[in-house]
Amino acid sequence: MHSPRDGQGVAAAAAGVAHPALGVATPAAKTRRPISLWLVFCALSSLLLLFMIIAPLIVCLWGSFTTLKVMGAGSERGAGWEQVTTSRDEEKAESQSAAASVDLGVFAKGARNIAGSVTTFWYQYVWEVYGGTLHLSLMLAVISICICIVLGVLGGYALVRYTFFGKNLIEEMILLPLSLPGIAVAVALIETYGVLRGSWVIILFGHLLYTLPFMMQSVTNTLRSFDFVTLEQAASSMGAGPWQRLRYILLPNLKHAIIVGSLLVFAISLGEFNASFLLNTPFNQTFPAALYDSYTNDSFQVSSAATCIFMFIVIPALMAMQLIGGKEMRDIGGA
Amino acid sequence: MMRHWLGALYIMPLTVFFVAVMVYPFFNMVFQGFIPSQAMLEAGSAMSTADGEYIVTWDELTLANYLSVFTDDHIRSGLTLSLAISVIVSFVSIFLCIGPAWLLVRKEFPGKRMFRAILTVPMAFSGIIIGFLAVIMIGRIGAIPLITDWLFGIPVAEALAYSLTGLGIAYIWFQIPRATLNLESAIRKFDWDLESAARSLGASPFQTVRYVLLPLLTPAIVSTMAVTFAVSMGSFGVALLLLKKATVLPLEIYTQMYSTLAFELSAALSVQLAVVTVGVNYFLRRYGERHYAFAS
């Protein structure tokens, strides 16, 4: 209870600096401000949320390395166990035929014989079994980013710069996926484009539908935050052609928005499950769907390792976005 | 603002994409919902060709799929649970997130960017991951029961993850960034001079909160709720992993699609889910926007 109270004076002073319009209360008024209860509430709920977010991640990280069986045994009967052992056996056979002995490491010994309290065996297991799905997910994310940049910049530019018939309707339509349940989209896509089932194109459609609105928001928020139209008209009246305006006005101003939007698109595309779970097939599985397989079939440790791999990729992207993201991040509130 | 044909040209690829991938499939799905389900077809007199394609005549189209949300008890309970949990989770997450949002707008403290970044983390986590995290924290042998059992001899929150409370906690988890960021950007638009004006005019803290801050906050809360409600309604992974007996509407759609193979029923339910979610979201958003007029 003490730290918020003690910090209040400092914090209020800082707020006074930041907001001169309201921070000019007299010192006497500052000490009387009965807002401390509110501050305590804010601090407590912040701490609770921080705990809620960080604690499971720590447990997950611990679980991905541990050999302790306190939260469930490390089984040798996971979904892909045969895959791991046979692929290693083949490797062994090949290498033996090449008259070379190869150290099989932990795979030869199996999960039960791991020595020590910390192991990276679970990561090797996940890499071996679910590596392909991670590859597909990363590919989809990169393709999504590329298409989002092209369509998002083009569309955002058109929305900010021009008026045309049905503009409001189109803008509403582009933002609609933010509130549209993913599973409804998946059912609609399957029942309409059943032919495409089995190729990753239909998964890409689902991902694009859910990532484009974010890119659009990022672009339009940036272009609307300053007088872009006047700037461009000035350039145009001085004789700048379309290419020059794109190269020297639009892209430099949008650089930041594109980076932030791309990171967001990457994170969302990689984690997208609601729509893509139904669009998945066993031959075209995205990483979140593989995670679901892992949760239903594998041990606690293997599932933790799979989750950690996901976190190692996504959390740095989100952190980078927060750290470099400025104004446009604040206004992207949507889903 | 000029040369509208050029703007229409630039927006064309985006429009084509959205119409092809979202609008047309949706209307196709609305139509599919009127076709009697396969089970009904087999029981009834519908013709089917040799390769399993059904020929549905115009007068065989039925409302039964759309009405099953009222007639089928299981589906109705799914809808009820979806609505109830979305509303409750929206309120609770706003209650929990308004403090951090206020801190982010009004206070300067060390590690503020980090704090904000951590609050954003659940944004990219899909439902199943959150379900898994709930299982390892408050499941049957989750971390919290194990640790409290070891410390105090009483396992706290054992198997909570599989109850409706646990489901709610998992839902709140992924609402944290949405609620915080939305509230933050809404609070940022406040005219804080009003608050200091009220205080300098002699309003008590209670009066300030009741007559100044609360009316200012209401649109912010409503527009945040528009987002949290929609996301909760559409969430599917958490329920897929955690729920055993109860069901929520998205999960029911999945079951109808893949266990019962009733594509037409799942289409009808999807249409209803989408209409309810988008409709509520739209009206809450409009309400919030309309009442922003006097905030800032």
Side-chain angles (χ1 to χ4, degrees), chain A residues 66-316:
Chain A
T66 188
T67 55
L68 262 173
K69 293 186 171 114
V70 61
M71 282 173 70
S75 73
E76 289 190 26
R77 290 216 198 101
W81 191 263
E82 290 81 6
Q83 206 177 322
V84 173
T85 45
T86 48
S87 75
R88 289 287 153 167
D89 283 345
E90 279 164 16
E91 224 172 79
K92 188 180 167 187
E94 274 172 28
S95 57
Q96 273 174 351
S97 68
S101 69
V102 70
D103 181 21
L104 288 179
V106 280
F107 286 104
K109 289 184 284 178
R112 206 168 291 160
N113 303 319
I114 297 167
S117 56
V118 170
T119 175
T120 56
F121 177 69
W122 317 121
Y123 284 97
Q124 299 175 40
Y125 179 94
V126 172
W127 191 251
E128 198 82 14
V129 179
Y130 301 112
T133 63
L134 186 62
H135 183 251
L136 177 70
S137 266
L138 288 173
M139 188 187 80
L140 285 173
V142 171
I143 298 177
S144 297
I145 290 175
C146 296
I147 298 180
C148 276
I149 289 176
V150 174
L151 289 185
V153 170
L154 209 57
Y157 174 73
L159 282 181
V160 174
R161 179 74 207 277
Y162 298 103
T163 53
F164 44 85
F165 177 72
K167 183 179 164 180
N168 289 339
L169 193 69
I170 289 176
E171 204 165 358
E172 279 291 324
M173 182 178 78
I174 290 166
L175 295 183
L176 194 63
L178 293 180
S179 57
L180 201 60
I183 190 151
V185 168
V187 171
L189 278 176
I190 287 173
E191 297 196 351
T192 311
Y193 300 115
V195 193
L196 287 178
R197 198 84 205 287
S199 92
W200 50 263
V201 177
I202 197 168
I203 310 178
L204 182 69
F205 282 173
H207 282 207
L208 280 176
L209 204 55
Y210 279 93
T211 49
L212 268 172
F214 290 98
M215 188 55 109
M216 289 292 294
Q217 271 190 329
S218 184
V219 168
T220 51
N221 284 346
T222 308
L223 289 185
R224 280 175 183 152
S225 67
F226 66 99
D227 204 352
F228 170 73
V229 179
T230 313
L231 185 65
E232 225 218 20
Q233 275 167 347
S236 179
S237 72
M238 288 181 190
W243 171 249
Q244 280 177 313
R245 275 177 285 150
L246 175 75
R247 173 69 185 77
Y248 296 107
I249 296 181
L250 188 64
L251 289 184
N253 280 310
L254 277 182
K255 199 175 78 183
H256 202 242
I258 289 177
I259 293 173
V260 171
S262 303
L263 286 169
L264 195 61
V265 166
F266 177 77
I268 287 173
S269 169
L270 206 63
E272 165 55 47
F273 179 78
N274 282 350
S276 58
F277 183 57
L278 285 196
L279 301 174
N280 269 293
T281 56
F283 302 105
N284 278 310
Q285 214 178 15
T286 59
F287 194 61
L291 281 177
Y292 176 68
D293 276 3
S294 175
Y295 297 155
T296 42
N297 294 318
D298 292 332
S299 67
F300 158 68
Q301 289 91 336
V302 172
S303 307
S304 295
T307 314
C308 280
I309 289 179
F310 178 80
M311 294 193 313
F312 292 152
I313 299 172
V314 162
I315 291 182

Side-chain angles (χ1 to χ4, degrees), chain B residues 228-239:
Chain B
T228 53
F229 179 85
V231 176
S232 295
M233 280 299 280
S235 167
F236 155 68
V238 179

Side-chain angles (χ1 to χ4, degrees), chain B residues 123-140:
Chain B
M123 190 92 155
F125 279 34
S126 50
I128 34 149
I129 297 183
I130 291 156
F132 173 69
L133 294 179
V135 169
I136 66 173
M137 286 310 282
I138 49 179
R140 244 173 263 286

